[in-house]
Amino acid sequence: MVKIFVGGLPKSADEQVIAQYFSTYGNVVHVQLNRDLTTGTSKGYCFVTFDSPAGAESALQCYDQHCIGGKWVGQIF
């Protein structure tokens, strides 16, 4: 399994939206969306785990094309 960092997410994106988006690059086995402990709202970043390096590499190669919920994803590595 390979984990990538994704930052610059819209606050409205939840785990399901993120997993669905990145599943076009490979099999997503887990999305760890970091949330504010007080409000429960997204902090705007997460970790996406793929079941193989190929999915992560594919997502990384398309770095400048990622847009979720109308917002360009500013960081991915």
Side-chain angles (χ1 to χ4, degrees), residues 53-71:
E57 289 172 15
S58 181
L60 292 171
Q61 288 176 354
C62 297
Y63 166 78
D64 60 346
Q65 300 172 21
H66 296 302
C67 184
I68 298 175
K71 184 174 186 304

Side-chain angles (χ1 to χ4, degrees), residues 9 13-15 18 31-35 42 44-47:
L9 293 168
D14 62 14
E15 291 88 348
I18 296 164
V31 174
Q32 179 187 342
L33 181 63
N34 290 11
R35 298 178 179 275
S42 168
Y45 67 94
C46 73
F47 297 92

